[in-house]
Amino acid sequence: IYNKTMFQTIFLSHLFVHSQDFLYCYDIFDETYREKEGPKPPLRYVWRNIILMSLLHLGAILGLVLIPSAKIQTLAWAILCFLVSALGITAGSHRLWSHRSYKATLPLRIFLTIANSIAFQNDIYEWVRDHRVHHKFSETDADPHNATRGFFFSHIGWLLVRKHPDVIEKGQKLDLSDVKADKVVMFQRRYYKPSVVLLCFTLPTVVPWYFWDESIIISFFIPTILRYTIGLNATWLVNSAAHMFGNRPYDQNINPRENPLVSLGALGEGFHNYHHTFPYDYSTSEFGWRFNLTTAFIDLMCLLGLASDRKKVSKEVILARKMRTGDGSHKSG
Ligand code: ST9
Ligand code: ZN
Ligand code: ZN
């Protein structure tokens, strides 16, 4: 049905609508980059991280064991902490600051920054820098969590070794002027360590202990350690599982995939074939609120006047792209 001219018309109008994104070009794949020839640099382990991550995961197992002894309020609090921290990543460092897929007012940016420190996934500036090189140089040496190096590396291994020099070399050429200009982001970067001690570790522990007399051990190991570890793994699954398992209805030439299970845990971030194809779409998916709490949250914020300018790819452009490069898995849709 779609001949070449029709496709070009639709695609060009799409380019025009989103011309701003193409001026930035910070999340569009760079086809010109070539990995350096010759042997890869040897792995340099960071033992401090290996030890701390192992201890964290052991602590999370203890948290799991303690669940039957916890008060119901404590479990509800842990879920709340998980959801708020997750929004700090999904609606915050991901969709707002990395991709600029919508605009947020100062009060919302302050909330998302607090939520982001609860999540403790590096400060927003560093997260955005690593995430923009991930999109621009996806699955090459310049991608911090290059999924062609296997499930373990893209999941957690990349945080346990020194970065490939190309990540830093390419990352230094990125345009980060927009995040540098955001005073809330720069404030978080300056006070990042104390903010994490207070918001990721102290606050989630103290609330159950102070307000409903939960034991301090349970307060520490469930809403803090277990909740933090689940948040990290849900995020890392986007880099590992959603780069390996699932359909590719939008672009079968790239590895990122549609993975509804990952979306469920990561509040809508598992529709990764769509997201790498249209990184500036605020919903990171074609299907609105389906498995996508983050989209519902951003829509609510718009309703309350705290957010605006959501960027959305039109149905026509999506369909044309599916016909051109998709794997046919959405044929009935
Ligand atoms: C964590 C982050 O877990 C997770 C991010 C995941 C991303 C997910 C993406 C998917 C999207 C969807 C979201 C789903 C969300 C779902 C939520 C559901 C709950 N460009 O890094 P260093 C330079 S963090 C340019 O030390 P090493 C720079 O000058 C977990 N330059 O490199 C830098 O200095 P500075 C907690 C760059 O020595 C200097 O190099 N955190 C770049 O190789 C040194 O940088 C940890 O565990 C760049 N890209 O060490 C800490 N990178 O920063 C883990 C670096 O001062 N990190 N430079 O400007 C580390 O310890 C280290 O980074 C390292 C590498 C050992 C991994
Ligand atoms: Zn990805
Ligand atoms: Zn992204």
Side-chain angles (χ1 to χ4, degrees), residues 86-96 102 112 269 294 297-298:
L87 287 172
I89 299 299
T90 59
S93 51
H94 192 222
R95 299 190 198 181
L96 176 64
Y102 68 100
L112 289 172
E269 302 285 22
T294 307
F297 173 80
I298 298 171

Side-chain angles (χ1 to χ4, degrees), residues 20-85:
Q20 228 189 340
D21 302 297
F22 289 85
L23 284 177
Y24 287 127
C25 268
Y26 44 53
D27 51 14
I28 305 296
F29 185 70
D30 181 345
E31 308 221 3
T32 61
Y33 166 75
R34 293 286 169 271
E35 290 180 346
K36 294 188 178 74
E37 305 266 329
K40 304 279 184 199
L43 281 184
R44 286 190 293 145
Y45 296 106
V46 178
W47 287 103
R48 188 191 70 125
N49 290 10
I50 296 174
I51 292 166
L52 288 176
M53 278 298 175
S54 306
L55 288 176
L56 180 73
H57 284 75
L58 286 175
I61 294 172
L62 179 57
L64 278 177
V65 172
L66 288 172
I67 285 180
S69 325
K71 293 187 175 168
I72 191 80
Q73 302 97 300
T74 308
L75 299 178
W77 170 247
I79 292 170
L80 181 71
C81 290
F82 170 81
L83 291 175
V84 171
S85 68

Side-chain angles (χ1 to χ4, degrees), residues 11-236:
F11 189 68
L12 287 176
S13 64
H14 171 63
L15 272 181
F16 179 72
V17 170
H18 291 285
S19 56
Q20 228 189 340
D21 302 297
F22 289 85
L23 284 177
Y24 287 127
C25 268
Y26 44 53
D27 51 14
I28 305 296
F29 185 70
D30 181 345
E31 308 221 3
T32 61
Y33 166 75
R34 293 286 169 271
E35 290 180 346
K36 294 188 178 74
E37 305 266 329
K40 304 279 184 199
L43 281 184
R44 286 190 293 145
Y45 296 106
V46 178
W47 287 103
R48 188 191 70 125
N49 290 10
I50 296 174
I51 292 166
L52 288 176
M53 278 298 175
S54 306
L55 288 176
L56 180 73
H57 284 75
L58 286 175
I61 294 172
L62 179 57
L64 278 177
V65 172
L66 288 172
I67 285 180
S69 325
K71 293 187 175 168
I72 191 80
Q73 302 97 300
T74 308
L75 299 178
W77 170 247
I79 292 170
L80 181 71
C81 290
F82 170 81
L83 291 175
V84 171
S85 68
L87 287 172
I89 299 299
T90 59
S93 51
H94 192 222
R95 299 190 198 181
L96 176 64
W97 282 295
S98 292
H99 295 296
R100 295 276 156 204
S101 66
Y102 68 100
K103 289 201 175 91
T105 56
L106 182 65
L108 180 55
R109 281 186 286 127
I110 292 173
F111 169 77
L112 289 172
T113 302
I114 292 170
N116 187 271
S117 282
I118 303 177
F120 181 21
Q121 291 192 10
N122 299 331
D123 63 54
I124 295 165
Y125 178 87
E126 186 173 340
W127 204 104
V128 169
R129 190 173 62 187
D130 276 347
H131 194 64
R132 287 184 184 172
V133 270
H134 167 63
H135 275 269
K136 217 164 168 48
F137 305 100
S138 196
E139 305 198 309
T140 69
D141 283 339
D143 175 350
H145 30 86
N146 177 3
T148 64
R149 293 175 71 174
F151 187 96
F152 186 80
F153 180 83
S154 56
H155 193 76
I156 183 175
W158 66 284
L159 293 164
L160 310 177
V161 294
R162 298 277 165 217
K163 285 171 173 161
H164 190 288
D166 285 17
V167 173
I168 295 172
E169 191 189 310
K170 288 291 164 189
Q172 278 164 349
K173 297 195 178 106
L174 288 175
D175 181 5
L176 292 164
S177 53
D178 56 320
V179 268
K180 281 185 193 148
D182 191 323
K183 290 201 170 63
V184 186
V185 173
M186 288 298 124
F187 182 87
Q188 189 215 31
R189 185 160 166 82
R190 180 168 327 139
Y191 298 106
Y192 192 57
K193 279 190 186 141
S195 81
V196 164
V197 171
L198 185 71
L199 294 165
C200 176
F201 293 104
T202 309
L203 178 80
T205 306
V206 164
V207 166
W209 168 77
Y210 184 82
F211 286 102
W212 52 88
D213 278 332
E214 183 59 277
S215 91
I216 194 78
I217 299 286
I218 291 180
S219 303
F220 181 66
F221 281 99
I222 298 178
T224 297
I225 298 298
L226 179 60
R227 178 269 315 164
Y228 175 45
T229 312
I230 291 177
L232 285 180
N233 281 279
T235 307
W236 298 339

Side-chain angles (χ1 to χ4, degrees), residues 86-96 99 101-102 127 131 135 234-235 237-239 241-243 256-276 279 281-285 290-295 298:
L87 287 172
I89 299 299
T90 59
S93 51
H94 192 222
R95 299 190 198 181
L96 176 64
H99 295 296
S101 66
Y102 68 100
W127 204 104
H131 194 64
H135 275 269
T235 307
L237 281 171
V238 178
N239 298 335
H243 270 255
R257 287 148 202 265
E258 299 294 280
N259 191 310
L261 268 183
V262 173
S263 271
L264 199 64
L267 310 195
E269 302 285 22
F271 304 106
H272 215 48
N273 190 253
Y274 184 89
H275 178 56
H276 273 263
D281 188 311
Y282 89 100
S283 186
T284 71
S285 141
R290 193 191 300 176
F291 291 139
N292 207 329
L293 200 72
T294 307
T295 298
I298 298 171

